Amino acid sequence: MDTAYRDVVSPQWNGWHHIEWRQAHQRVRRLQVRIAKATKECNWRKVRQLQRLITRSTSAKAVAIKRVISNRGYKTPGVDGETWSTPETKWQAMLTLHVRGYKAMPMRRVHIPKASGGKRPLGIPTMRDRAMQALHLLALEPVSETMGDLNSYGFRPYRSTKDAMAQCCNALSRPSSPQWVLEGDIRSCFDNISHEWLLKYVPIDRNVLEQWLKAGVVDAGQLLPTTAGTPQGGIISPVLANLTLDGIEGMLKEHFVRRRKVNFIRYADDWLVTGDSKETVETARQLIRDFLAVRGLELSQQKTRVTHICEGFDFLGWTFRKFDNDWRMVPSKSSRKRLYAKVREVVRKHRTSKQVSLIAELNPILRGWAQYHRNVSATRIFNQMDHMVWQALWRWAQRRHPNKGKRWIKARYWSRKGSREWVFCEGEHKLFYLSGVKCNRHVKIKSDANLYDPADEEYYERLVKRQMAANSVPKLNRIWRAQNGECPVCNQPITTQTEWQVHHKVWKTMGGSDAQDNLVILHDNCHRQVHARNCTSWPPAWLETDQA
């Protein structure tokens, strides 16, 4: 047993807000890097030893609980009704998070609407089960990132749908690119994964994994057994699903020679295969069907089909198509319809509300849709959607004032701002316009980049800088750059995926201003720690002591 990382609670850690986060993250990071290295060398005995160390580490337990309470749904309880809302409960949970004697509780099942209609079952584990999953995820993620398919982009750090979109462009946009595409979808992927396969092949503590898989669910007050699948809602479930599907890309590369132009691109359980002929992709379909059958999965007959690139296909909310040799990527019709339906629903709900309330609810919807689609050829569609939103708002305004003329209504709700004539606004509050978003191409992440490989450390630093520069306002970006992209409390990266807060070095109640030199960006948990210790100036004395 490796004794170099014997981890005990520091004497200075006498409460949740006294944890030295930079020290905790450094210990976890060192072990994860070693796990990834052992995985790359196929030294599975060493992997198991290091995983055992990290799941028994106090630092890892603190980091796991921090991750649980940083998620959006952390205030949603499981079947026991318990939430960790105070520093005392978080600290007590950390001290009692032991693998020995652990028994998972059933999940609370809720049903959430799907974009395509119907409802998706979602399992909500208890807080303790979530923390245990997060703890083992720290040990499992370095393995999954090292072994994962190169062009798998779902539920992986720093990878997104836009990377999958960019890979589609790389594979299909050239004149010599393959012309046939197999669009694939797995029927109820999360619900049908074989428990026997997971227990046999996933490199994790099998006793703990079996607890999660066999815990059952409580639906409408009735306890139901779980005989297959991983719970949608569990922190570790996406990684288990990725490990189940990893290997398809390698299998296809072994079977097909390069001139067949076979590419495999996957995001979660949505995927596509390219080929030089219809027969090639049909052969790929059969190979993938056999691959999935071993894991208890099968293809969806309705959503799995072969398409020629000139006909076009939809993938992840975009339509990809070739007109002769002209490559097009645009927001799909179904995505546009969903946006307009959502806008109409909001407008209908605010029939009697103030204009400010309507603008406040529409802006996040419009801004989010524009940010998602701004990396494809969407300029013309943005203009079209702006016009459709204007029509909905014009009907809203006419309904409110049936006895007023058009000029009066325009003067009441629309104003001129800069070069734009029709701006729906009231005072300083104005509607977000899609046509104001500049479209540009997305730079795809390197397929073989590994978050836990020290050789890729500098690459990920540049990647985070690029993402923050593209998605943050200039003032916040300048503050972020001054901090070298790190939270000063825990020394962990602040990215577009992490929750963070802007903190005033000198509190506003003490006379501090909103000037840039008085602001610092902190993670949510670190921000609460600073306020809990009543640090009214910057840097705090305890932080300087930790650095020393």
Side-chain angles (χ1 to χ4, degrees), residues 28-29 31-33 35-36 39 47 51 54-55 63 67 133-148 154-159 202-204 235-236 238-240 242-243 246 450-453:
V28 172
R29 174 70 179 178
L31 283 172
Q32 288 180 315
V33 168
I35 291 172
T39 303
V47 169
Q51 286 182 326
I54 201 170
T55 54
V63 171
R67 174 168 182 168
Q133 290 186 20
L135 177 62
H136 282 77
L137 181 58
L138 293 173
L140 183 60
E141 196 168 58
V143 178
S144 67
E145 285 298 300
T146 304
M147 297 174 57
F155 306 122
R156 296 182 64 187
Y158 298 103
R159 286 167 168 81
V202 174
I204 196 176
I235 291 177
I236 205 170
V239 175
L240 294 178
N242 273 341
L243 285 169
D246 282 336
N450 188 344
L451 180 62
Y452 301 100
D453 188 345

Side-chain angles (χ1 to χ4, degrees), residues 223-239:
L223 178 62
L224 304 174
T226 48
T227 57
T230 61
Q232 293 191 56
I235 291 177
I236 205 170
S237 296
V239 175

Side-chain angles (χ1 to χ4, degrees), residues 55-97:
T55 54
R56 285 157 176 78
S57 163
T58 303
S59 295
K61 293 175 183 178
V63 171
I65 292 175
K66 180 184 178 183
R67 174 168 182 168
V68 170
I69 63 172
S70 298
N71 289 343
R72 285 184 178 179
Y74 82 97
K75 293 183 179 179
T76 305
V79 293
D80 59 355
E82 180 183 353
T83 58
W84 296 337
S85 55
T86 64
E88 291 75 19
T89 55
K90 298 168 192 174
W91 176 252
Q92 191 60 31
M94 187 193 77
L95 296 179
T96 57
L97 194 65

Side-chain angles (χ1 to χ4, degrees), residues 4 45 102 121 221 238 244 318 365 398 402 420 429 444 476 484 527:
R45 182 178 180 183
Y102 168 73
T244 304
W318 296 292
I365 298 172
Q398 285 185 315
R420 187 184 289 273
H429 304 275
K444 189 182 80 71
L476 286 178
N484 294 321
H527 188 235

Side-chain angles (χ1 to χ4, degrees), residues 277-289:
S277 66
K278 189 174 182 179
E279 291 73 21
T280 298
V281 295
E282 287 289 0
T283 304
R285 187 210 295 257
Q286 185 58 48
L287 290 171
I288 294 172
R289 182 184 289 118

Side-chain angles (χ1 to χ4, degrees), residues 327-338:
W327 172 250
R328 297 284 179 86
M329 299 186 298
V330 297
S332 65
K333 287 185 178 179
S334 59
S335 178
R336 284 178 265 167
K337 287 180 179 179
R338 286 196 298 270

